[in-house]
Amino acid sequence: QLQASGGGLVQAGGSLRLSCAASGRTFSNYGMGWFRQAPGKEREFVAAITSTGYMSYYANSVKGRFTIARDNAKNTLYLQMNTVSPEDTALYYCAQYHSGSYAGSVDYWGQGTLVTVSS
């Protein structure tokens, strides 16, 4: 089970940190990711991180502004969002991959947390 939190209303240029608490499978065995879905658009990839946390990957649209991290001792995934813009407004989902990398399919999705960026 994946429980995302931390969404809310933030002004453009501000920061927000999302969290995703995981339970069930051994968290440290699986790659994790963040996706988002803006109103009227399809779900898109945001960022992913390997099971160890040593490697991460970002969509071009967020590279340099967002940072994905994980704390395997706390079974928690994070997304630090800096210098946000109205284009970042979306429902953000955390996801757990099928393996320790982020190259494969997603096995589980969280319920989503809403981020709204005002201009």
Side-chain angles (χ1 to χ4, degrees), residues 49-119:
I49 190 168
T50 55
S51 58
T52 59
Y54 290 157
M55 293 182 64
S56 58
Y57 182 73
Y58 297 89
N60 287 335
S61 59
V62 306
K63 198 174 297 182
R65 300 187 299 120
F66 292 9
T67 302
I68 189 171
R70 64 189 298 159
D71 186 335
N72 285 345
K74 295 183 178 180
N75 293 345
T76 304
L77 175 73
Y78 302 100
L79 184 69
Q80 178 66 43
M81 307 169 61
N82 295 330
T83 320
V84 297
S85 72
E87 288 70 36
D88 296 317
T89 294
L91 192 60
Y92 283 72
Y93 298 89
C94 55
Q96 190 172 66
Y97 286 89
H98 184 67
S99 70
S101 74
Y102 42 73
S105 60
V106 170
D107 280 350
Y108 297 103
W109 296 92
Q111 87 290 358
T113 185
L114 182 62
V115 173
T116 303
V117 182
S118 63
S119 58

Side-chain angles (χ1 to χ4, degrees), residues 4-10 16-19 81 90 92 112-116:
S5 62
L9 177 63
V10 60
L16 204 62
R17 188 176 82 156
L18 306 183
S19 299
M81 307 169 61
Y92 283 72
T113 185
L114 182 62
V115 173
T116 303

